[in-house]
Amino acid sequence: MPIVAAHAQLERRERIFRIALISTQDNVCPLPRPMGRGWRAAPGSRYLQGSQRGRPGRISKYGTVNDADGRPGMYGGYALDLDGTVYLGEHLLPGAAETIAGLRGAGSRVVFLTNNPLLSCDAYAARLTRLGIPTAPGEVVNSSGVMVAYLRSRFPGRRLFVIGERSLREELLAAGFFLAEGAHAVDVVVAAFDRGFDYRKLQIAFDAIRAGAHFVATNRDPYCPVPGGGRPDCAAIIAAIEASTGARVEEVVGKPSAVMARAVLDRLGLPPDRVIMVGDRVETDIAMGVRAGMHTALVLTGASRRSDLVGVPEQPEFVLDDLRGLLPREAAEGRTR
């Protein structure tokens, strides 16, 4: 490269990083978009459209800076998936506690979200705290809580048949819904992750939907990652009901739905351009982030692999080995000394 051109490029980069250091009282900075080899976006995706979305190397109102090795920079808000991202089973994944402490210490807001309805937000917060990540219930968004809010808004006080486990049923009862044990007069069939799903439940759902009941579900995950493999998840239950009834599920409130995205952004209290969605599934975590206008990072500690990105229209901006890649290198190295 000619000396003059190289000098001009260095000056340009210095100007960009000076901008990144500017802060304002409302914490909205005119920061550049992520650049370098860590920046990924599919041609024609929403990341390449709109005056505020920016392009590689251009200034974007709510963007951020990544350092030279492709790590993201710092964001105002972090939406972190749980299973396969923060922990697997009863064990934290590498660097999870230290990374989350570093993000919080830098002043960023952190919300945990999960499609798994087996526990309440209180129980998820207690699990994270027990594992070494102090968490309040208000910092957790789960599919069962989002389902309760959705049903309150769309079907208040209706009679439900619930394919789901104890936690979801208790939340719906506490919200004032009547839970039927048969198909008679059911207004809504609710499908969720249920390890006790059997032919009896399928028959009741079949009869209720054929009689006119609405059909909604918590999530479309094909399986839930667990140590040593996975457990069939709600997608299998949805498929059984759809195949037998010929009906299609009307709303799935978990990731990647707009219902879940709105709940996460409301909890963080930030616009999507200042939030990064971090998860281990391309088809749920990354898809939701892209559709909602958030930044995205895929971690390779759970369901998806690099090979799963081939041909996928909704690409992550960053692909990281684990959560430690979220911190700028200097901060990450400082926390491991």
Side-chain angles (χ1 to χ4, degrees):
M1 179 184 294
I3 294 176
V4 174
H7 182 69
Q9 185 180 55
L10 286 172
E11 286 187 334
R12 244 186 343 263
R13 290 188 176 183
E14 287 175 359
R15 284 200 302 274
I16 287 171
F17 281 96
R18 280 199 298 272
I19 291 171
L21 296 175
I22 297 173
S23 61
T24 61
Q25 289 186 341
D26 63 359
N27 202 33
V28 176
C29 306
L31 304 179
R33 288 278 297 161
M35 306 178 295
R37 61 187 175 89
W39 192 92
R40 304 179 63 118
S45 74
R46 290 178 58 181
Y47 284 106
L48 302 179
Q49 302 170 8
S51 60
Q52 288 190 346
R53 297 308 303 164
R55 290 171 175 81
R58 297 197 179 197
I59 303 296
S60 178
K61 182 177 179 182
Y62 296 115
T64 187
V65 159
N66 65 296
D67 50 31
D69 64 357
R71 291 170 179 255
M74 297 300 295
Y75 293 84
Y78 290 78
L80 304 181
D81 172 57
L82 286 176
D83 293 293
T85 300
V86 173
Y87 57 63
L88 196 59
E90 288 296 320
H91 300 282
L92 291 179
L93 286 163
E98 297 81 3
T99 297
I100 291 163
L103 298 177
R104 287 170 166 169
S108 297
R109 302 171 193 175
V110 177
V111 162
F112 303 98
L113 64 156
T114 177
N115 274 352
N116 190 330
L118 296 184
L119 297 177
S120 66
C121 291
D122 286 10
Y124 277 116
R127 172 188 278 188
L128 285 164
T129 300
R130 184 178 72 253
L131 292 177
I133 301 173
T135 304
E139 295 174 303
V140 179
V141 178
N142 69 342
S143 62
S144 59
V146 174
M147 175 60 81
V148 170
Y150 169 80
L151 290 171
R152 273 177 167 166
S153 172
R154 182 83 191 279
F155 304 106
R158 300 293 182 86
R159 184 181 175 96
L160 312 177
F161 176 66
V162 179
I163 299 172
E165 299 197 18
R166 180 177 175 179
S167 178
L168 174 60
R169 296 175 65 86
E170 288 179 348
E171 288 187 63
L172 289 167
L173 284 170
F177 291 98
F178 180 83
L179 306 190
E181 293 301 323
H184 177 68
V186 167
D187 298 304
V188 186
V189 172
V190 179
F193 187 9
D194 186 352
R195 290 166 293 185
F197 181 61
D198 57 15
Y199 197 86
R200 181 189 69 84
K201 293 180 181 180
L202 178 60
Q203 183 70 61
I204 295 172
F206 175 88
D207 292 339
I209 292 169
R210 291 288 291 266
H214 296 277
F215 176 29
V216 299
T218 54
N219 60 295
R220 280 191 187 273
D221 297 63
Y223 71 93
C224 177
V226 297
R231 290 180 179 147
D233 206 328
C234 190
I237 296 171
I238 293 172
I241 296 171
E242 288 185 334
S244 59
T245 63
R248 289 290 173 263
V249 65
E250 298 168 34
E251 186 73 73
V252 180
V253 301
K255 299 173 293 182
S257 79
V259 181
M260 177 70 94
R262 284 194 297 270
V264 169
L265 292 171
D266 286 348
R267 195 68 58 87
L268 285 168
L270 292 168
D273 279 4
R274 292 185 61 204
V275 175
I276 183 167
M277 174 68 219
V278 185
D280 68 305
R281 284 186 186 270
V282 176
E283 69 275 18
T284 54
D285 303 315
I286 303 308
M288 186 185 81
V290 170
R291 294 171 192 175
M294 304 180 203
H295 301 276
T296 54
L298 176 71
V299 290
L300 302 175
T301 47
S304 295
R305 297 290 177 260
R306 289 184 187 274
S307 58
D308 296 324
L309 296 173
V310 177
V312 174
E314 291 154 330
Q315 293 279 317
E317 290 181 69
F318 301 95
V319 178
L320 309 172
D321 290 333
D322 53 49
L323 285 180
R324 289 174 290 194
L326 288 176
L327 289 175
R329 182 165 294 280
E330 295 79 7
E333 290 175 347
R335 300 196 72 82
T336 58
R337 287 185 188 131

